[in-house]
Amino acid sequence: MRRQSFTLCSHSYAAWREVGRTMSDYRHTVVLRCVDGLLRDALANWIASLPGYLVAGAAATGDGLLRLCTLRSPDTAVVELRSAEPEELELVAELRAARCEPHIVGLHRALDAHSLAFLHHAGVHRLVSTRFGVAALRDALAEAESGWRPATPGHGLSARELEILALICAGCSAAEIADELGISPHTVTNHKRRIFAKLDVQSRTQATAEVGRLGMRLPGRQARGPGGEPPRTLTKRERDILESIARGESVRQTAQALGIAVKTVQSEQRQLFSKLSARNRPQALTNARGYGLVDST
């Protein structure tokens, strides 16, 4: 029964495992920061489609980008730069000071020469105008790859921790993760403790919310949704609860935020889980993102 239960929550573990095997084929890891969600998703998907590239995450903020650099030690950081104001210059400086020190490709619409000079002196390796389309960005990535060296090992998430984090986001219990990975529940618990410390979270729901906030791409989740048809309608209360889950809040915190009883949250939540084909909060949040019901920013 435990195996059957896991199959329902993960949707296709065999496909996940196949993707996991191919991750070693990637040579160049990229993270990116774009404020606009559509542009961010389009760039992430395009870069991921290039042979030899792995997109580790796509954030909406500079803080999210720096967190991705800490957690994933990327080779290249693609950064949308809208000005040469102090905030943007500080972001570039912090990227240059990161342990992995990624190659920085700055994307801009049409900055003046003075601003471009400031950004270049701040440490941007290559500045690319979006007016010239993806060809210019492809050249910049190739330039970065030509000088590629293995990223300096940091204190980010290991390959095993990424596997376990992906299964946590799929709503799997420690016992199910242990069963599928062939390790003991105690080992899973130890890995989970380290994952939570690195993500600076306290629960599986918070971990899943942080993965979404950072736009992290985990094994088996690059191009897979929850499967099936999206729910036709969610009530306002169900949407409020889903938004609370996306903030990483507990059931008690959701009840306090909405001014309702814990039992009411639990009752409404059961209906929400049924509509999302989920059995717990992490899986509900992951499936809601797959259906496009929750923004990843």
Side-chain angles (χ1 to χ4, degrees):
M1 288 298 294
R2 185 170 64 184
R3 174 81 63 171
Q4 181 182 10
S5 175
F6 177 81
T7 301
L8 290 173
C9 85
S10 65
H11 303 292
S12 180
Y13 182 75
W16 174 87
R17 183 154 42 193
E18 184 62 30
V19 173
R21 279 198 294 265
T22 64
M23 287 191 70
S24 60
D25 297 336
Y26 290 98
R27 298 182 296 113
H28 203 88
T29 303
V30 179
V31 295
L32 59 96
R33 189 283 296 262
C34 284
V35 176
D36 181 81
L38 288 176
L39 177 60
R40 185 169 63 250
D41 289 345
L43 279 176
N45 290 332
W46 177 75
I47 294 173
S49 72
L50 298 175
Y53 286 86
L54 171 67
V55 175
T61 65
D63 172 67
L65 181 66
L66 292 169
R67 289 281 291 141
L68 283 171
C69 288
T70 299
L71 293 168
R72 299 304 310 273
S73 297
D75 303 301
T76 297
V78 177
V79 191
E80 180 188 20
L81 297 169
R82 297 189 170 189
S83 70
E85 295 297 322
E87 183 179 357
E88 298 283 59
L89 296 175
E90 182 180 354
L91 172 60
V92 173
E94 289 179 311
L95 286 170
R96 291 300 301 266
R99 185 182 180 91
C100 61
E101 193 179 349
H103 187 96
I104 303 172
V105 175
L107 294 180
H108 66 96
R109 174 61 181 169
L111 291 178
D112 59 79
H114 188 67
S115 297
L116 294 175
F118 264 105
L119 291 167
H120 176 71
H121 288 305
V124 178
H125 295 94
R126 176 77 177 265
L127 288 155
V128 177
S129 173
T130 56
R131 293 178 300 171
F132 300 110
V134 296
L137 177 56
R138 181 67 186 88
D139 289 343
L141 291 173
E143 178 183 281
E145 187 178 3
S146 66
W148 173 77
R149 71 207 185 292
T152 303
H155 300 285
L157 294 164
S158 67
R160 175 63 90 188
E161 287 167 347
L162 288 170
E163 290 177 337
I164 292 173
L165 180 57
L167 296 175
I168 287 172
C169 291
C172 304
S173 68
E176 290 167 337
I177 294 172
D179 186 36
E180 290 299 334
L181 297 183
I183 57 180
S184 72
H186 177 71
T187 300
V188 172
T189 299
N190 286 337
H191 278 299
K192 188 169 69 172
R193 187 181 300 114
R194 287 192 288 270
I195 291 168
F196 286 5
K198 291 175 181 180
L199 292 176
D200 192 23
V201 300
Q202 303 297 323
S203 68
R204 294 189 303 157
T205 301
Q206 289 179 355
T208 305
E210 183 69 358
V211 165
R213 185 182 78 83
L214 297 176
M216 290 179 64
R217 297 193 168 197
L218 302 176
R221 300 180 66 235
Q222 284 88 339
R224 296 191 62 80
E229 294 295 325
R232 292 181 180 275
T233 59
L234 295 180
T235 66
K236 182 180 184 305
R237 179 60 55 77
E238 289 167 349
R239 289 188 177 277
D240 288 340
I241 291 174
L242 184 56
E243 290 174 3
S244 178
I245 295 172
R247 292 192 295 269
E249 296 174 349
S250 66
V251 172
R252 187 172 298 278
Q253 289 170 326
T254 299
Q256 291 174 345
L258 299 181
I260 57 179
V262 170
K263 288 186 176 180
T264 303
V265 173
Q266 292 171 333
S267 176
E268 295 280 352
Q269 200 169 246
R270 282 193 291 271
Q271 296 298 318
L272 176 65
F273 289 175
S274 177
K275 291 180 179 181
L276 295 175
S277 301
R279 58 177 184 171
N280 52 36
R281 289 189 148 214
Q283 190 183 6
L285 181 53
T286 297
N287 288 1
R289 286 203 171 98
Y291 288 132
L293 298 175
V294 176
D295 192 356
S296 296
T297 60

